[in-house]
Amino acid sequence: MMQISEKQRIIRLTIIAGARPNFMKIAPIIHAIEKFNGNEKRIEYRLIHTGQHYDKNMSETFFEELNIPMPDINLGVGGGTQAEQTAGIMIAFEKELTEHSADLVIVVGDVTSTMACSIVAKKLNTKVAHIEAGIRSWDLTMPEEINRMITDCLTDYYFTTTELAGQNLRNAGAEDKQIFFVGNVMIDTLLANINRLVKPAIFDTLSLKEKEYIMLTLHRPANVDEADQLKALLNEIVTHVHALPVIFPIHPRTAKIFSELNIKADNLHIVDPMEYLEFNYLVKYSKAVITDSGGITEETTVMNIPCITLRDNTERPETCTIGTNELIGTNPKAIKPTLDKLFSGNWKKGGIPELWDGKTAERIIQVISELRIEVV
């Protein structure tokens, strides 16, 4: 591995976040930079929020919760179509990066901001590092998969969560010297906060008991945009959980569709989107989680919570082959037999993937500190 040149004593990073989950991934990176610097600033960073997702809860309280500073700038791009959002991010970030040059742009995950900022950085001759590189669902109907593939075509330094992700990159032409298997930054955040989780008010309001309720999250268009599909999924879930409470933090867009479904189930509890520490408290003490999220399957694997994923594919297969997750597809009829397996006590025990140990960000920053990044 190459050493820092004498000319470049301070490495200047621009760190991109476009949606709330991105901040959970960059929080440990910031903490690792601060730990690495100690009393001598050797790495400095500029934190950019593209504003891709507007979240009323993206406030000072959220940043205090993760113990990270407010972004240096919010580009305020907002919503729109895929093309409108991509274009808006590119225009705004080009101006930002031109005014505040960097030696390395760090992007995380697979949101539109990840792809758009990678394109801008490369066109401005700036190196790009992708954290969570190489994961693949091989499903091009997912916007996230397109974002991942384009970003990885442009990336200079790949930080991967698994050896499989590294192999995906090699198969696409990446060189070994570019790929660093470091682990999972989302798990860094989880483990750093596992003893800080906050019991939400609804736990007592609904008289919930440990391991006697189900957590539910749904947000993918295939599951929530078609009223008949959403209704069928929910009916199967509430009918076959042995009358246990089902806690469903619901997205406002999904809530509008849900209000038209006329579902009457005493054990289904619709709640507002939750803060990170409260949500994971409920996950930790649940009997199981039903979801179509990728990140939650990682967290349930580490917390050893049974997870049922309502998707036809996953970019995180290790949560199934090693962890507690089972991928059952989007057919509502697959729910009953899966829940029967859960309630019979036959769920797999699961293990934790290699290097998902809470030290991923430290490994990333150590690698970055040892790179010779050519300044153009």
Side-chain angles (χ1 to χ4, degrees), residues 45-69:
Y45 66 91
R46 186 166 170 83
L47 177 57
I48 310 301
H49 179 20
T50 66
Q52 175 185 331
H53 288 178
Y54 172 74
D55 185 341
K56 66 181 180 181
N57 292 323
M58 186 68 81
S59 61
E60 290 187 20
T61 302
F62 174 75
F63 294 97
E64 289 171 4
E65 185 179 43
L66 293 179
N67 192 28
I68 57 176

Side-chain angles (χ1 to χ4, degrees), residues 240-294:
H240 298 294
V241 292
H242 295 215
L244 289 186
V246 176
I247 312 303
F248 186 12
I250 196 167
H251 188 279
R253 185 168 63 91
T254 307
K256 182 178 180 181
I257 299 172
F258 176 83
S259 66
E260 301 170 356
L261 299 183
N262 195 31
I263 293 178
K264 298 186 183 302
D266 292 338
N267 63 326
L268 179 61
H269 302 282
I270 305 298
V271 298
D272 290 333
M274 307 182 73
E275 295 180 354
Y276 178 81
L277 296 179
E278 292 187 339
F279 176 79
N280 275 300
Y281 181 98
L282 289 178
V283 169
K284 180 180 179 180
Y285 294 108
S286 67
K287 183 175 182 65
V289 174
I290 302 173
T291 188
D292 57 11
S293 165

